Amino acid sequence: MTPTTFEAMPLAAPLHRVLRELDYHTPSPIQAQAIPLLLEGRDLLGCAQTGTGKTASFALPILNALHERPRHATPKSARTLVLTPTRELAVQVAKSFGTYGKHVRFRQTMIYGGVGQNPQVAAMRGGVDVLVATPGRLLDLIEQRHVDLSGVEFFVLDEVDRMLDMGFLRDVKKIVAMLPVKRQSLFFSATLAPNIVQLAETILRQPARVSIQPETTTAERIEQKVCFVTKDAKRPLLERLLADQSQADGARLTIVFSRTKHGANKLAKSLCAAGFQADAIHGNKSQAQREKALDRFRKGLTPVLVATDVAARGVDVKDVGLVVNYDLPNEPEAYVHRIGRTGRAGAEGLSVSFCSDEEFDYLREIEKIIRMPVPVWTNHDHHDPSLAERYARGGRGSVQQRPQQGRRTFGGGGGGGGGGARGGRRPSRAGR
Ligand code: AMP
């Protein structure tokens, strides 16, 4: 049985305390599965990517062990080694250890290239409990005898798929060869291609496998397009898409995402005024109202549903052929959840995102996490070439700020299926 609350997990008091302070109550799926296995000392092969709560899934059990079995660090050595492909990820992981380990006594440091090595050498002199490092510089410092890996008890390889893409395979193998045989090893990758599994087999001992189906695997079946448009052109473009969609042969239902509840209401009203059967669901509507709206949507009576992210979580409706991001989400993970509303269970789906010049940064964040550019759709009446060009040149668009990240919740989306061929005017697959 996987625990459904952090309270039910046998973690030490300082960790329970920090989780309360962070307002984390429900473990994400990977945390629920991985933490108990790791607390038992198992090796782990995890298929999961950033945004799934993966970092806490390894940081919490490691911090737990460091707390329960405190030891004087040996000079130049590290009890925990986390290898990451990039400096950015190293910083992020170290920050997470700092956050989750706020009430645990432990020492940590980072080693990465591109900066002077002296502070890193100095930080390693007395030894640390947690070392987060990128492979190249770590090997440099090992060769210069500033770092010694013979005392590693916990070894984490994070984002292995990216590590291999970046050509670190040889470095990783060299590093693994220096680790003691007796250790607990954790291996995380967003994909488990055969070469990755092969590498895992040389590192892990009878690992438990945990796979959090990243919704991006769904995303691979979904045709994604972005339209660069001015704010004013969003409404007419949406109407055009909906008119085409209503003529489609296959999955006719459309979900339109709006960032705000107010925006969702306004948009649904104006679509109704323009002759579309549309309804809005968002957090201000009662459960009964939402269910009624969903029921009518499912039956095709109102084939257009305007939704906010929260309301759309878990919407399990077959035959959603089109998802429109009327506003781009300010949290990139939401994009993956949104487009996962279509193309379910092997079906084809289409996702069209509108990007005005205020949303450039959101689009860039999204492209970072889906690790591909969203193909630009130019073949429609509202395409704004100057915006598209500015984005392509790396322009920043107008005012943009990532919001403060508040409390986050994890929850899966629904399943479903349906779809099929679609007629009407739809973007070509060119440029994928
Ligand atoms: P990660 O996949 O480790 O990069 O985590 C993604 C984000 O989710 C981070 O901002 C974490 O702070 C947050 N987070 C991780 N676990 C939880 C949880 N159980 N509840 C709420 N937020 C979480």
Side-chain angles (χ1 to χ4, degrees), residues 6 23-28 31 49-56 92 100 333 405 408-410:
F6 281 117
D23 216 3
Y24 288 10
H25 295 279
T26 316
S28 71
Q31 292 164 358
Q49 60 189 40
T50 303
T52 54
K54 157 176 72 87
T55 320
Q92 217 174 300
Y100 302 131
E333 295 85 5
Q405 296 212 336
R408 318 242 330 225
T409 50
F410 283 88

Side-chain angles (χ1 to χ4, degrees), residues 1-4 32 36:
M1 270 256 302
T2 49
T4 51

